[in-house]
C-alpha cells in the first residue's frame, strides 16, 4: 500500500494507507499524540525533508518526504503544457516565415534601385553604337594600321 500525498501551495496533506480510524503519527522520530486521524496536514511546510510514519495496531508504514513547495506556484496538467509549447512553436515558425519573405523582397528592391534605374528599362534600350574611332582590327584590314608605328618619347 502507498501513502497519498497532496500538495497545495505550502500545505502538504499525507493520507496513511491504513484503513483504521485510529492512527498514530511520527514525524522525524517524535510522536504526534494529538493526531488520531488517517490524514496528517502540514501547514506552511518549508520544503525540508521529513521522515513520516503512521501505524495502526500492528501495521507500520514509513514515508520519506522530500516535497518542494512554494506559495505562488501553479500546477499545470500535461494538456496545458502541450498547448503552450505548441502555440510557442507555431508563433516562432510564423515569425520566421514573415522574416524570410520580407528579407527576400528587400534584397530584390535594394539591388534594383542601386543603379539609379530599374532593370526593366535597361533591358528595353538597345545597346550603344560603338565609336568608329575604336573599331577592333579585323583580319582583312591589317594593312590599314600597318603604317602606324609606335612613337618613342
Amino acid at each position: 500500500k502507498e501513502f497519498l500525498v497532496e500538495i497545495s501551495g505550502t500545505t502538504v496533506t499525507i493520507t496513511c494507507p491504513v484503513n483504521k480510524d485510529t492512527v498514530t503519527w511520527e514525524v522525524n522520530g517524535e510522536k504526534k499524540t494529538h493526531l488520531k486521524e488517517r490524514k496528517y496536514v502540514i501547514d506552511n511546510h518549508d520544503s525540508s525533508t521529513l521522515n513520516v510514519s503512521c501505524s495502526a495496531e500492528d501495521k507500520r508504514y514509513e514515508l520519506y518526504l522530500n516535497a518542494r513547495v512554494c506559495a505562488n506556484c501553479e500546477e499545470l496538467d500535461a494538456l496545458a503544457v502541450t498547448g503552450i509549447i505548441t502555440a510557442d512553436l507555431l508563433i516562432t515558425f510564423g515569425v520566421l516565415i514573415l522574416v524570410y519573405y520580407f528579407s527576400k523582397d528587400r534584397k530584390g528592391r535594394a539591388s534594383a534601385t542601386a543603379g539609379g534605374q530599374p532593370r526593366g528599362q535597361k533591358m528595353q534600350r538597345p545597346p550603344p553604337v560603338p565609336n568608329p574611332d575604336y573599331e577592333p582590327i579585323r583580319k582583312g584590314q591589317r594593312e590599314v594600321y600597318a603604317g602606324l608605328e609606335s612613337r618613342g618619347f
Side-chain angles (χ1 to χ4, degrees):
K1 295 182 180 180
E2 295 181 354
F3 284 89
L4 176 63
V5 179
E6 300 171 32
I7 301 171
S8 176
T10 59
T11 303
V12 178
T13 305
I14 305 169
T15 304
C16 187
V18 177
N19 290 333
K20 307 290 183 193
D21 289 334
T22 306
V23 178
T24 305
W25 289 93
E26 275 186 42
V27 179
N28 287 338
E30 71 179 69
K31 287 188 177 189
K32 302 291 184 179
T33 55
H34 61 281
L35 294 173
K36 299 292 184 186
E37 300 174 357
R38 284 187 62 207
K39 290 190 178 189
Y40 175 56
V41 179
I42 306 170
D43 290 322
N44 298 323
H45 183 58
D46 59 355
S47 297
S48 61
T49 59
L50 298 174
N51 288 316
V52 180
S53 65
C54 67
S55 58
E57 297 175 0
D58 59 345
K59 293 185 180 181
R60 180 180 170 95
Y61 297 95
E62 294 186 6
L63 170 73
Y64 177 75
L65 181 68
N66 188 9
R68 301 282 178 213
V69 297
C70 64
N72 298 325
C73 295
E74 289 291 329
E75 187 173 339
L76 296 176
D77 60 341
L79 184 62
V81 172
T82 304
I84 290 170
I85 292 173
T86 304
D88 184 37
L89 288 174
L90 289 175
I91 290 170
T92 302
F93 285 132
V95 170
L96 285 173
I97 289 169
L98 287 173
V99 168
Y100 173 75
Y101 281 117
F102 281 122
S103 68
K104 188 175 167 183
D105 290 344
R106 286 185 185 247
K107 190 188 313 177
R109 285 189 215 136
S111 63
T113 59
Q117 296 176 350
R119 285 187 177 182
Q121 291 180 0
K122 283 187 177 180
M123 297 301 287
Q124 292 174 358
R125 287 187 182 177
V129 178
N131 190 344
D133 294 336
Y134 297 104
E135 282 189 39
I137 300 174
R138 296 188 186 102
K139 287 185 179 180
Q141 298 177 346
R142 286 191 184 268
E143 65 275 353
V144 174
Y145 299 103
L148 301 174
E149 295 181 14
S150 61
R151 301 179 188 168
F153 291 102

